[in-house]
Amino acid sequence: MNRKRNHPMMMVYELGKLIKNSLFLFIFFFVVKAGSETWFFVYGRYGVVVLFMLTVLYLPFKWYSRTYQLDDKAVHMASRLFTTTQKTVPYSKIQNVQKELKWFHRVFGMTSLTLETSMQGGESSIRFPVLKKEEAARIEQRVQGKVPPELKQQKETSEEVDVPILKERKKGTESECNPIDSHKRIHFTPKKRELFKASFASLSFLALTPVIGSFLSKLDDFHFEKQVDGFLSFLFESTTVLVTTILLFVILSAVFGIGSTILKYGKYEIASDKDTIYITKGMVEEKYVSISKGKVQAVLVEQSLMKRILGLAMVKFVTAGGSGEESEVTALYPYLPVSRASSLIEELLADYRISSRMNRLPKQAAWIRMLKPSWLWLVSTVLIFFVKPEPLGISQAWWIFSIVLFILIMISRVLSYYHSSYAIHDQYIQFRSGGFTTSLYLSKRSRIIEMEASQTFIQKKVGLASLNIVNQANPVRFTSMEDLPAQFAGEAYQWYTGRKEEVHLVTEGEENHEQMGLGVLGDGYH
Amino acid sequence: MQALMEAPKQQLSKDSMKVWIISETIGNLIGFVILGALFVADHYLSWYDWVVWILIALTVLSVVSTIWSFFRVSLLYKNWRYDVNEEYLQLKSGALHEQHHIIPMTKIQSVSTHQGPLLKKYNLYSLKINTVGSDHEILALPKQKAFELRDRIAVYAKVEEVER
């Protein structure tokens, strides 16, 4: 198999990026400090130009030295310039595939492609900055084990070895070598009404206020105080002017809010075929992610206070890919109608079931939650007692603040008691928790990698217990549910040991996948 | 909770109590020496008045925690249980805050034995078990038992163990 490279347009793309990044340096050295005669800037100007030229000259070499190749089991990346680096990633370790179409890609009909793995550390993903769309699609299909038609015959003639890559496999799923005969089905695209609601729920119309505020204060900085003050006094002179301005402002905010929401969420598509979920989003710069259904470890449905009022919810999938914050979860559309959310989960993940029958926590849980000392309140009250701020000249502000905080905390606790519920049905476990923002958690026992039950002294006295569930993410995600009936905690424990019904153990005698990966590497570079 | 849960039964080595008592004693002694040094320093360097009150409070706390630490040792030993079978590792600990862990064997990434100077005195080993996201420790086992358990877990989890 021959090695391939990114599309030559990559050089243009990188040049653009280089210009964008070095623009600041050029402005600093040639515009801001243009008159400076210090040696640093005099020689620095030459230095900047030379450095820029060298980097430009390096680009073709960078493009030429980066190669990739795909075989039956793994993707091989190589970079051979001064040092040679080779990297092999088995397909089974790739958690999701992402494409991002920036301005550049859209203009030239290209795409970028990122393969996310669950590896720890900096280089957890494989990135192709510029590829032809067909090539990106080909890579995506190979990675997801859908052999493209032209390769299929070849594959059938070659010997079929079932490779035990995972130590633990699900019974009865044969997703690994599926041809692309299954068709994509679109499950969700936002309608106008939903976009309208979304722009309310996101409060994006409020975003205009700080923009205008900072604009006005900037004007102040640039010695336009008189004009600003004059403008303000002009506003407050007559009611009509004031009302019109406010109206204008409200309309502008609404337009701004809806506009920014449409830009962000207007073009949004959730689709799936037999094994894979596809999410495409973005009007201007398009983002695309595809996840194998089998890689979903848990499902979350989150609702903020605003979303609860508007009947919207956000569905997230916990997967093991990516690095950095928030990447361990893949959010579906953040403003799904509640009724659609649960049906969508079942449509996308055929082997997941949501039960609407959940049990509430026992009465004792309410008492425990209300009586628990709140460290947040104690610490902030002590702090504010010593600082004693006097905003707007209110000298008693500190205890008012303390009481308000206390009330908010108590409301949140009461709400959290009412929202908390739990259920185990079949092989699924479901928890709902949270005060102002609620979160529903759903997972299967075969996807739970560890479980912990615990009882504090007080919980023991009143017959309660807490459960802590671990799912694989990057590296792991803990979900805890407090103050469950002790009886249920015991049942959950028993239920968990029943996971052998869903998983079976691959017995000894097979080599582990690290060795296999190396073998593949050897083959690939003959 | 116990009734429904088949609690693990294996206990730690009884010598573990001795190890913990020694280590607690050493720790407490160091604490008291530092406190004493602070009192002396306070006396000669005449720090602020409130410093002495803080030192007295710390001393009271240390005395209480020293007495408690000896009770804790026996509570810790009495309540620590573990069990291993082909499918699961089970751990249970804590008297006041009771914790049960259940970990499928297939999720265990590595298992190793460790021995510090105190454990060495009683020929004990601690067993560390790492999973994808967490570390667990079986605190003190006799040498033979620890090695045997380590190998058994390694076989169950199919981890390749390099013998020293």
Side-chain angles (χ1 to χ4, degrees):
Chain A
M1 243 177 276
N2 55 333
R3 286 183 230 130
K4 288 190 174 177
R5 294 191 173 77
N6 274 284
H7 194 273
M9 279 306 243
M10 173 180 161
M11 288 179 275
V12 182
Y13 175 69
E14 299 262 310
L15 183 67
K17 239 170 64 178
L18 178 66
I19 291 172
K20 204 172 100 188
N21 291 338
S22 49
L23 204 61
F24 165 77
L25 262 181
F26 274 98
I27 289 178
F28 189 69
F29 274 82
F30 288 96
V31 181
V32 179
K33 292 284 177 184
S36 175
E37 292 298 328
T38 17
W39 64 270
F40 181 78
F41 288 104
V42 172
Y43 292 104
R45 273 171 219 141
Y46 292 106
V48 168
V49 173
V50 170
L51 203 71
F52 182 79
M53 296 306 275
L54 280 179
T55 322
V56 171
L57 284 178
Y58 164 68
L59 290 178
F61 292 101
K62 185 178 174 187
W63 169 74
Y64 187 78
S65 67
R66 306 246 158 130
T67 59
Y68 67 89
Q69 98 190 56
L70 304 161
D71 64 21
D72 285 353
K73 294 158 197 112
V75 47
H76 309 273
M77 304 296 291
S79 150
R80 303 150 195 271
L81 200 55
F82 300 112
T83 54
T84 300
T85 321
Q86 290 182 18
K87 191 152 110 180
T88 295
V89 180
Y91 297 146
S92 61
K93 297 286 164 198
I94 290 168
Q95 299 292 329
N96 65 49
V97 179
Q98 291 171 19
K99 289 184 211 164
E100 195 175 351
L101 277 73
K102 299 217 184 256
W103 279 101
F104 175 86
H105 298 107
R106 300 211 82 163
V107 170
F108 293 101
M110 300 281 161
T111 180
S112 75
L113 183 79
T114 308
L115 308 175
E116 288 281 4
T117 69
S118 59
M119 274 185 283
Q120 295 293 295
E123 292 181 34
S124 66
S125 60
I126 301 176
R127 224 180 115 68
F128 303 90
V130 182
L131 284 177
K132 269 193 169 165
K133 279 184 176 165
E134 303 85 65
E135 179 61 11
R138 199 183 73 89
I139 295 176
E140 187 187 352
Q141 282 167 3
R142 296 237 56 186
V143 163
Q144 287 170 345
K146 298 167 192 161
V147 184
E150 76 270 14
L151 275 164
K152 205 183 153 198
Q153 280 184 322
Q154 215 179 309
K155 166 129 188 160
E156 273 166 0
T157 50
S158 70
E159 48 180 335
E160 271 285 313
V161 197
D162 192 16
V163 197
I165 285 172
L166 297 169
K167 295 211 180 90
E168 192 180 81
R169 264 185 300 164
K170 285 202 55 244
K171 272 181 193 168
T173 49
E174 285 193 309
S175 58
E176 228 59 314
C177 299
N178 216 34
I180 39 165
D181 53 5
S182 38
H183 292 294
K184 253 197 209 182
R185 201 189 127 202
I186 295 169
H187 298 273
F188 178 82
T189 44
K191 292 180 195 69
K192 281 201 188 93
R193 221 173 71 92
E194 282 157 358
L195 276 173
F196 191 68
K197 262 189 177 177
S199 61
F200 267 99
S202 65
L203 301 175
S204 54
F205 51 87
L206 291 181
L208 195 62
T209 320
V211 171
I212 289 180
S214 76
F215 177 68
L216 285 181
S217 74
K218 279 272 156 54
L219 283 182
D220 262 8
D221 291 346
F222 283 100
H223 310 292
F224 285 106
E225 296 104 330
K226 272 200 190 125
Q227 281 85 338
V228 172
D229 286 347
F231 177 65
L232 287 181
S233 59
F234 166 72
L235 276 188
F236 288 106
E237 251 167 27
S238 90
T239 358
T240 9
V241 175
L242 189 65
V243 169
T244 352
T245 320
I246 288 175
L247 263 178
L248 211 72
F249 181 76
V250 167
I251 292 167
L252 258 179
S253 302
V255 169
F256 179 81
I258 293 169
S260 65
T261 311
I262 288 175
L263 270 188
K264 232 169 150 185
Y265 302 111
K267 193 169 160 267
Y268 212 105
E269 182 188 292
I270 301 170
S272 80
D273 62 21
K274 195 157 156 279
D275 309 309
T276 320
I277 297 163
Y278 308 91
I279 302 164
T280 319
K281 59 187 164 191
M283 285 286 244
V284 185
E285 298 197 332
E286 195 177 291
K287 274 188 181 178
Y288 164 97
V289 59
S290 68
I291 322 156
S292 283
K293 291 181 181 180
K295 303 275 187 206
V296 175
Q297 308 290 331
V299 180
L300 305 170
V301 182
E302 289 178 359
Q303 280 187 296
S304 63
L305 188 65
M306 196 66 189
K307 284 185 193 170
R308 267 210 310 285
I309 293 169
L310 291 166
L312 299 174
M314 160 137 82
V315 176
K316 288 176 173 175
F317 289 157
V318 177
T319 57
S323 49
E325 258 177 63
E326 276 302 299
S327 59
E328 61 173 39
V329 291
T330 308
L332 297 188
Y333 194 66
Y335 305 102
L336 281 170
V338 172
S339 53
R340 188 75 188 95
S342 57
S343 62
L344 190 65
I345 292 169
E346 288 183 3
E347 275 173 33
L348 291 177
L349 302 167
D351 52 347
Y352 273 81
R353 294 273 168 279
I354 293 191
S355 165
S356 51
R357 289 228 312 271
M358 293 178 78
N359 308 302
R360 292 268 296 278
L361 294 184
K363 285 257 155 48
Q364 303 96 294
W367 289 114
I368 282 200
R369 286 187 180 196
M370 297 303 284
L371 296 175
K372 209 188 267 176
S374 163
W375 297 112
L376 175 71
W377 179 74
L378 282 174
V379 169
S380 41
T381 300
V382 167
L383 269 182
I384 206 161
F385 176 76
F386 282 110
V387 179
K388 285 214 177 107
E390 295 184 2
L392 308 171
I394 306 167
S395 59
Q396 300 296 309
W398 72 272
W399 63 261
I400 298 173
F401 174 81
S402 172
I403 288 175
V404 169
L405 184 67
F406 185 78
I407 292 170
L408 279 177
I409 288 172
M410 281 303 153
I411 292 175
S412 155
R413 286 177 173 190
V414 172
L415 283 176
S416 95
Y417 170 70
Y418 279 105
H419 289 151
S420 294
S421 44
Y422 60 92
I424 282 180
H425 53 106
D426 199 15
Q427 48 162 318
Y428 307 99
I429 190 160
Q430 245 174 270
F431 289 143
R432 192 169 125 102
S433 60
F436 290 109
T437 298
T438 66
S439 166
L440 178 87
Y441 161 91
L442 167 71
S443 189
K444 294 196 290 188
R445 65 183 159 194
S446 58
R447 295 280 171 209
I448 294 171
I449 62 170
E450 215 175 305
M451 197 151 97
E452 184 204 329
S454 68
Q455 277 187 307
T456 61
F457 184 65
I458 297 166
Q459 281 181 327
K460 227 184 229 179
K461 287 278 167 260
V462 294
L464 297 176
S466 301
L467 271 183
N468 203 351
I469 288 177
V470 187
N471 282 104
Q472 191 173 5
N474 198 7
V476 287
R477 183 189 177 90
F478 294 92
T479 307
S480 60
M481 187 72 197
E482 286 180 14
D483 308 323
L484 292 160
Q487 162 107 358
F488 176 79
E491 278 166 17
Y493 227 67
Q494 285 292 315
W495 165 84
Y496 185 57
T497 56
R499 76 199 281 281
K500 56 176 168 264
E501 287 170 28
E502 281 98 36
V503 297
H504 80 123
L505 306 172
V506 178
T507 43
E508 248 185 301
E510 291 113 344
E511 62 280 73
N512 64 25
H513 57 271
E514 271 88 5
Q515 285 171 340
M516 219 212 53
L518 289 176
V520 170
L521 183 72
D523 291 342
Y525 284 92
H526 276 318
Chain B
M1 192 150 80
Q2 263 92 351
L4 279 154
M5 227 179 274
E6 206 181 306
K9 292 186 186 68
Q10 306 283 321
Q11 275 192 293
L12 298 176
S13 161
K14 206 147 197 188
D15 285 336
S16 61
M17 282 210 278
K18 292 179 198 160
V19 172
W20 294 331
I21 286 175
I22 295 172
S23 79
E24 290 282 356
T25 314
I26 294 172
N28 287 324
L29 274 179
I30 292 172
F32 280 117
V33 167
I34 291 171
L35 267 178
L38 285 173
F39 269 113
V40 172
D42 177 56
H43 183 79
Y44 285 103
L45 301 175
S46 53
W47 285 335
Y48 294 107
D49 288 346
W50 51 265
V51 173
V52 81
W53 290 108
I54 287 183
L55 287 179
I56 289 170
L58 277 176
T59 314
V60 173
L61 274 178
S62 308
V63 170
V64 172
S65 89
T66 305
I67 296 166
W68 166 241
S69 71
F70 291 112
F71 282 105
R72 207 178 74 96
V73 163
S74 74
L75 279 177
L76 190 64
Y77 171 73
K78 259 188 222 155
N79 290 287
W80 230 103
R81 296 280 189 288
Y82 70 91
D83 231 329
V84 170
N85 64 25
E86 276 185 328
E87 285 174 275
Y88 299 101
L89 167 70
Q90 268 183 286
L91 303 172
K92 181 201 155 217
S93 62
L96 295 181
H97 185 208
E98 200 178 302
Q99 284 178 297
H100 296 251
H101 282 271
I102 182 162
I103 303 141
M105 280 295 162
T106 46
K107 301 298 175 194
I108 291 174
Q109 303 258 309
S110 72
V111 51
S112 53
T113 46
H114 296 264
Q115 191 180 48
L118 283 176
L119 288 172
K120 192 163 190 157
K121 189 171 181 311
Y122 293 95
N123 204 18
L124 297 176
Y125 279 86
S126 77
L127 205 66
K128 280 197 181 135
I129 296 137
N130 297 331
T131 62
V132 182
S134 57
D135 302 333
H136 303 279
E137 193 173 5
I138 299 178
L139 295 171
L141 292 173
K143 182 180 174 182
Q144 209 203 331
K145 220 174 176 181
F147 281 35
E148 191 241 357
L149 189 64
R150 179 193 66 188
D151 295 344
R152 230 170 58 185
I153 293 176
V155 169
Y156 291 153
K158 297 187 194 73
V159 176
E160 278 168 15
E161 180 77 9
V162 184
E163 255 320 324
R164 272 168 296 174

